[in-house]
Amino acid sequence: MVGIRGIGSRGVAVGFVLAVVFGAAGCGAGAEPGASRSTGSAGEGDRPKGSLAWEFEHIADFSGELSDVAVLAEDDIWAVGSENNGEANARLLHYDGSTWKREPLPDALGDSVYPPLLEEAGGDELWLRPQTSEDASAVNRWAKWDGSRWSAMADPAPGNPGELDASGPDDIWALGGERTAQHWDGTRWVATRMPYEASDLAVVGPDDVWAVGSRSTGPGTELGGSGDGYSQPASMHWDGTSWKAVETPQSRFEEPLPPEPGAGLSQVFALDSGEVRAYGINSFNHGEVENEPAEQYIRLRWDGSKWAEQKAAPGGCELRTPMGQDDKGLFLDGNWYMTDGGRCVKIKRQRLPLSTGARKESDQSLWLKEIHRVPGTDEWLGAGHVQVNQSGDPFGAPVVVRLKRAG
């Protein structure tokens, strides 16, 4: 999901890093050990001052999940997801200020196997594009919403782009394949060459863009003996003329090395202040040796001249990564919030009503894929699903949630 800075927020992406982080920090963004089993949720008056809670804005009438959401206005919200009915069924939902409705996918997309991606392009304009896993014949079928209707997009990004981010409608960046990034200036896409393979990018402002990933050559990548080498974290910066490699701290296990070690950065996040942070992991192939080392989580911040270690976050926020920022702190994956004052807060959530088929004794957890601020307000919406684990009839309930603050 691309979002103009200060409006949208993206989910964490990419490869083995994400898989390992989830394995260590809870199986999915919504893992909630110790969550209440009571039906429903405490009202605002029952919650401690300063507490946060996700409350249901919409519960879809099918089993599955929502994978993306775009909030153009309080009365113009879009969500995409998939229904778990044994077939590949993408779903598009729209809220017009009064009701949520299931909408047909735009004809311009053709037959989509997977739920498309929503990209906010500024103003009332919204893009729908195929996932990167769609086949080659579908990747250039993009649709554009102009505030009243969907139409085919005349100039989609070339190839099969990955992450998108933007500072405005005429400054949109997309990761391409083979060490390239595409830039949209409002009229055309221009390809730029990157020093390394990138997994994520963040636009701080015009001519100020960061990308992170990994490198397979240079200092620290020597493995010794057989093997494909020891990948190392990499970062790059666009200064308005070209992408330049930025020296990035190495991350290596001590000898003897575990099987197939590799380190990389999977996420870069630009704070509203302009500070840039990067996240990744140093991992290996588990299960091949008895004495396995602990995985090393990489947390960096740019201090204006070099990468430095971030100060460790307290409690449950320690291994979490940012999904969004408001004027008081950071929203983290797994339904956590880190205040600017350094306090780690668990965001509570409601339980599904019994009318959904969720039983009173069921285990429930909220997994959010995206969160977004409602433009011009302090309201926040999230999209994902509630996983219901119960005997004989587990299911996922696609949900849109709204943040409620006590006090």
Side-chain angles (χ1 to χ4, degrees):
M1 159 72 71
V2 63
I4 308 306
R5 274 187 38 79
I7 295 178
S9 305
R10 295 170 298 145
V12 183
V14 182
F16 81 94
V17 175
L18 187 60
V20 175
V21 170
F22 278 174
C27 188
E32 297 175 318
S36 170
R37 285 177 173 270
S38 61
T39 301
S41 177
E44 183 171 327
D46 299 323
R47 294 200 301 268
K49 184 177 180 180
S51 67
L52 304 172
W54 292 114
E55 296 189 356
F56 296 128
E57 184 80 0
H58 178 63
I59 304 173
D61 61 355
F62 59 88
S63 176
E65 68 172 7
L66 297 181
S67 54
D68 208 350
V69 65
V71 185
L72 301 180
E74 189 69 75
D75 60 355
D76 194 6
I77 304 170
W78 293 86
V80 295
S82 56
E83 181 174 358
N84 294 336
N85 59 359
E87 301 177 8
N89 279 320
R91 295 286 180 250
L92 177 63
L93 306 177
H94 183 233
Y95 179 70
D96 62 5
S98 59
T99 58
W100 282 91
K101 295 180 180 178
R102 187 181 299 186
E103 301 282 353
L105 290 172
D107 292 338
L109 288 181
D111 295 326
S112 296
V113 176
Y114 304 102
L117 303 173
L118 289 162
E119 311 289 2
E120 296 174 19
D124 291 333
E125 189 167 306
L126 178 66
W127 300 347
L128 260 180
R129 66 181 180 105
Q131 288 196 33
T132 56
S133 50
E134 291 282 5
D135 61 51
S137 63
V139 294
N140 292 124
R141 297 174 185 163
W142 292 34
K144 179 174 68 174
W145 173 256
D146 61 8
S148 60
R149 66 186 184 91
W150 290 101
S151 60
M153 189 170 170
D155 299 299
N160 197 355
E163 286 292 335
L164 274 72
D165 197 19
S167 66
D170 58 356
D171 186 27
I172 299 175
W173 286 87
L175 285 180
E178 299 180 356
R179 298 185 182 180
T180 62
Q182 299 281 347
H183 180 245
W184 174 256
D185 62 7
T187 59
R188 63 179 183 139
W189 292 96
V190 177
T192 58
R193 183 72 175 171
M194 310 180 84
Y196 307 115
E197 292 290 340
S199 56
D200 194 23
L201 57 76
V203 179
V204 182
D207 300 332
D208 188 4
V209 187
W210 286 86
V212 298
S214 61
R215 58 180 174 84
S216 57
T217 60
T221 60
E222 306 84 6
L223 188 59
S226 60
D228 296 327
Y230 197 148
S231 62
Q232 287 297 305
S235 60
M236 301 144 272
H237 182 253
W238 172 264
D239 60 6
T241 59
S242 64
W243 287 98
K244 294 179 174 62
V246 177
E247 185 175 353
T248 309
Q250 298 177 29
S251 185
R252 288 180 63 100
F253 294 107
E254 298 199 1
E255 301 285 350
L257 295 177
E260 302 176 36
L265 297 173
S266 61
Q267 184 186 7
V268 60
F269 189 88
L271 301 181
D272 292 341
S273 64
E275 180 181 320
V276 177
R277 298 181 181 181
Y279 302 82
I281 196 170
N282 180 26
S283 188
F284 59 94
N285 188 16
H286 291 263
E288 294 191 19
V289 295
E290 290 187 3
N291 297 320
E292 295 185 341
E295 291 170 330
Q296 300 170 358
Y297 293 89
I298 305 169
R299 302 289 187 264
L300 304 174
R301 63 176 181 84
W302 182 252
D303 68 5
S305 61
K306 66 182 184 304
W307 288 110
E309 291 287 333
Q310 291 183 34
K311 180 181 178 181
C317 295
E318 181 182 7
L319 300 181
R320 300 298 180 174
T321 55
M323 295 182 70
Q325 180 185 13
D326 66 4
D327 58 359
K328 296 180 181 179
L330 286 174
F331 294 95
L332 307 177
D333 71 301
N335 304 319
W336 291 90
Y337 183 84
M338 182 76 176
T339 70
D340 289 339
R343 188 166 64 97
C344 180
V345 179
K346 179 64 175 177
I347 305 177
K348 300 181 184 301
R349 48 84 181 165
Q350 288 179 304
R351 286 177 61 85
L352 292 170
L354 300 180
S355 59
T356 62
R359 297 195 289 269
K360 182 177 291 189
E361 70 276 10
S362 64
D363 290 320
Q364 299 181 25
S365 57
L366 174 64
W367 300 31
L368 294 181
K369 291 293 188 69
E370 292 276 345
I371 66 168
H372 288 265
R373 188 199 297 267
V374 179
T377 76
D378 291 328
E379 297 287 308
W380 284 79
L381 296 178
H385 78 285
V386 174
Q387 180 60 42
V388 179
N389 292 327
Q390 57 189 9
S391 177
D393 188 22
F395 67 95
V399 296
V400 178
V401 293
R402 183 181 291 267
L403 187 72
K404 297 294 183 180
R405 306 175 189 265

